[in-house]
Amino acid sequence: DVITNYRVEWDTNPGFSSGSMPPNKGYADVEASMQASYTVELLSMSIPYYVRVFATNNAGFGIPQTATPNSVTLAKQIPGTPHTLVANTGNIPRTIEVVWQRPRVPHHGIPCSGFSSNVMDCPTPYGGNVPSSDGGDLIVEYEVEHNESPDFGGSDGKRKLVTGLNCVLENLTEGRTYYIRVLARNKIGSGRYCEKSGTDICDGNLVSAIAS
């Protein structure tokens, strides 16, 4: 029979039999056709949590699958990877214009909910105002690197730090093709570079542009 739902259960006890109250213990049922991942919210930073997932069809619940590792204690993380990276020949001589979007998927590469082909935004932490794909700590800057070589090992290259979602690369060699990549950084550290096109996930073609 077709799987219709998944039940995600979490607890502070590996036997899932603690007397903890929500949100430290609970479950959520999600539609199998809509989501292959789920984010549990409002948990404590100091308690290890155990998670298991049941598949459900018209006959009932299947045998649960426990998580690997079997428990996790919350901590702030590095940001996810920027996406929708685009580079175009600049309007000013010897420049390239670059734009991108803030991370939408956490650093581990699993969407907070939905599918890789249909990513849903991460929840906003309590008291915050941006989705938690920033690792739970605000992004302080983006590092934009350009290089004449697709492996970024060429001699004609440089890095630039910016706080917004766009920049202009200057003093380039006129008519030369440059490859572009960008990463996000918070106080915990640097996330992974995105050097490819792709909406929501950095999974398309290498991004390059010709300097004006």
Side-chain angles (χ1 to χ4, degrees):
D1 196 14
V2 176
I3 294 173
T4 56
N5 292 279
Y6 293 103
R7 172 164 291 186
V8 182
E9 183 181 8
W10 61 95
D11 201 333
T12 56
N13 182 285
F16 296 86
S17 57
S18 77
S20 298
M21 298 294 291
N24 290 325
K25 175 183 175 68
Y27 69 86
D29 293 326
V30 299
E31 291 186 40
S33 63
M34 298 292 294
Q35 300 189 60
S37 55
Y38 179 79
T39 299
V40 183
E41 302 182 57
L42 303 177
L43 302 180
S44 169
M45 297 286 284
S46 60
I47 301 174
Y49 291 93
Y50 300 84
V51 179
R52 62 184 179 182
V53 177
F54 300 81
T56 309
N57 61 17
N58 290 329
F61 292 98
I63 297 172
Q65 174 66 57
T66 55
T68 302
N70 67 337
S71 69
V72 64
T73 301
L74 305 189
K76 292 183 177 181
Q77 305 291 327
I78 59 175
T81 306
H83 64 93
T84 317
L85 175 63
V86 178
N88 291 301
T89 299
N91 293 319
I92 301 172
R94 302 175 61 196
T95 64
I96 289 175
E97 298 175 358
V98 186
V99 297
W100 61 91
Q101 295 296 318
R102 75 183 302 279
R104 199 173 183 196
V105 176
H107 76 284
H108 47 60
I110 302 172
C112 287
S113 59
F115 296 93
S116 296
S117 58
N118 183 27
V119 175
M120 299 181 184
D121 281 331
C122 292
T124 300
Y126 181 77
N129 56 14
V130 294
S132 56
S133 46
D134 58 8
D137 199 77
L138 291 176
I139 294 171
V140 295
E141 63 186 14
Y142 293 91
E143 180 177 295
V144 185
E145 182 176 7
H146 68 270
N147 197 280
E148 62 182 327
S149 174
D151 65 2
F152 292 86
S155 59
D156 186 0
K158 194 175 181 181
R159 297 176 181 177
K160 183 174 185 176
L161 301 179
V162 298
T163 57
L165 298 175
N166 61 83
C167 75
V168 177
L169 306 177
E170 302 173 306
N171 301 318
L172 305 177
T173 301
E174 183 178 349
R176 175 170 288 176
T177 296
Y178 288 90
Y179 295 87
I180 316 295
R181 63 183 182 179
V182 59
L183 63 76
R185 181 176 291 123
N186 61 16
K187 292 180 181 179
I188 308 302
S190 301
R192 188 180 70 82
Y193 273 114
C194 177
E195 68 284 343
K196 298 179 180 180
S197 60
T199 303
D200 299 330
I201 295 178
C202 179
D203 61 354
N205 299 316
L206 289 175
V207 172
S208 64
I210 299 173
S212 55

